[in-house]
Amino acid sequence: MNIPNMLTIFRLLLIPVFLVVFFSNVPNYLLYSIVVFLVAGATDVLDGYIARKYDMVTKWGIVLDPLADKLMLLTVLFSLSYKGIIPYSIFIIVCSKEVLMIISGIFLYKKDTVIPSNFFGKASTVLFYVSILTVAFNKNIGKILLDIAVISAIIALINYAIIYLKNQKNNN
């Protein structure tokens, strides 16, 4: 187990921490829980940097890292929806997209095919982090940014499908 993979596991462990903080009666629970979310985001950036810089990329990490990201994002969006801070439609659309990505990822993993994250996926992730942070300070602007993030996530999904189809065409 290398450092990037340990950071990914740490990020997975932050999911229940987020939930405990978010659903607590602590004043400023939203701000504190978003700090947990941002720490998770920082570990995502850090583990990716370390893995690439020090050639510690593993097949396991390529699969587990985005899974940790998806689970954290879905947890945050569900929690925000549950408390009525954002519309459920955002959670439902993103959840549908992420479940499709997870199922596709498992299918491709079994075929020894891995499509690594690219600009569109990373841009979508950054937009979600910025929009969720903004929700803590200005719900109206945060919701607009979340709508943009959802659109970017759909574009990323389409982009991954195009990459897969091109790979299939080149392999045939």
Side-chain angles (χ1 to χ4, degrees), residues 113-138:
T113 303
V114 176
I115 300 174
S117 63
N118 60 33
F119 170 79
F120 294 102
K122 291 177 191 278
S124 175
T125 300
V126 168
L127 283 169
F128 274 110
Y129 275 88
V130 168
S131 59
I132 289 168
L133 175 62
T134 304
V135 163
F137 298 102
N138 187 317

Side-chain angles (χ1 to χ4, degrees), residues 5-23:
N5 290 344
M6 286 189 277
L7 287 168
T8 299
I9 298 218
F10 176 70
R11 192 162 59 259
L12 283 167
L13 295 173
L14 285 175
I15 293 171
V17 173
F18 171 87
L19 288 168
V20 167
V21 173
F22 186 85
F23 289 103

Side-chain angles (χ1 to χ4, degrees), residues 19 86 165:
L19 288 168
I86 65 169
L165 293 172

